[in-house]
Amino acid sequence: MSESPFDAFDAIDTQILVILSEDPRMSYQKLSRRLADEGYEMSAEGVRRRVTDLMAATTPFFLLDPERLAWEIVRISVRATDGPGDKAEAFDRIADLPFWHVTKGIGTYDIYGVGMAPTLADVEEMVSEIRGYDCVARIDFIVVTDRRSDLEDYYRQGLREGDD
């Protein structure tokens, strides 16, 4: 069985990602000093090795900031009809729309999506199109008016304060 790159993911890796999210061009020397401020003594070379491993296990995203563009963020939840292949058809059709994240799963809804649109009219047009699909039984949506993100919680991925 092969080991996952995240088998050794720890609090130091979490802190490195949090610091790099603030300034991704930070030198290894400066990153080493910032880690020392957080209680993790590491050489610049040790930091470089960890960053190299982390970058190999992550995906870069060059995301547009919807607030700077004055665009709307829309989140959809879709329940497919019960016909053979309906869930797959609904997933494929929604994935062809301008949603940057579409998932299929098991639960209250069959498909979940997140996208952006320049106006509320564009959001309503996308939602209306999905409502018109024969393979869709129900669509619920929300236009995001405020959001908060905590990168430390995101990067922690199961690590709790005090865990090694």
Side-chain angles (χ1 to χ4, degrees), residues 18-67:
V18 168
I19 293 168
L20 286 175
S21 72
E22 297 165 5
D23 180 2
R25 298 179 67 177
M26 184 178 295
S27 71
Y28 296 125
Q29 190 65 39
K30 186 172 180 183
L31 186 52
S32 176
R33 286 192 299 271
R34 286 280 308 274
L35 284 170
D37 292 344
E38 298 295 326
Y40 304 110
E41 295 289 334
M42 293 190 68
S43 69
E45 177 59 22
V47 170
R48 185 196 64 75
R49 286 185 188 162
R50 280 190 181 246
V51 169
T52 300
D53 290 345
L54 287 168
M55 292 302 109
T58 60
T59 302
F61 282 95
F62 300 100
L63 300 176
L64 298 172
D65 183 352
E67 291 176 4

Side-chain angles (χ1 to χ4, degrees), residues 64-122:
L64 298 172
D65 183 352
E67 291 176 4
R68 293 186 90 178
L69 294 172
W71 280 22
E72 307 296 339
I73 301 171
V74 60
R75 297 177 188 272
I76 62 166
S77 302
V78 175
R79 188 173 308 128
T81 52
D82 291 331
D86 287 354
K87 186 175 178 180
E89 179 185 350
F91 177 82
D92 290 342
R93 292 182 78 178
I94 292 167
D96 286 339
L97 294 174
F99 289 93
W100 63 269
H101 175 83
V102 179
T103 57
K104 181 171 35 171
I106 298 170
T108 306
Y109 294 97
D110 299 309
I111 300 158
Y112 175 77
V114 181
M116 295 188 314
T119 68
L120 289 174
D122 292 316

Side-chain angles (χ1 to χ4, degrees), residues 141-158:
F141 72 98
I142 181 174
V143 175
V144 177
T145 59
D146 194 10
R147 69 183 194 278
R148 292 184 187 169
S149 299
D150 187 333
L151 288 176
E152 287 191 45
D153 283 343
Y154 174 78
Y155 290 131
R156 194 169 274 103
Q157 297 296 317

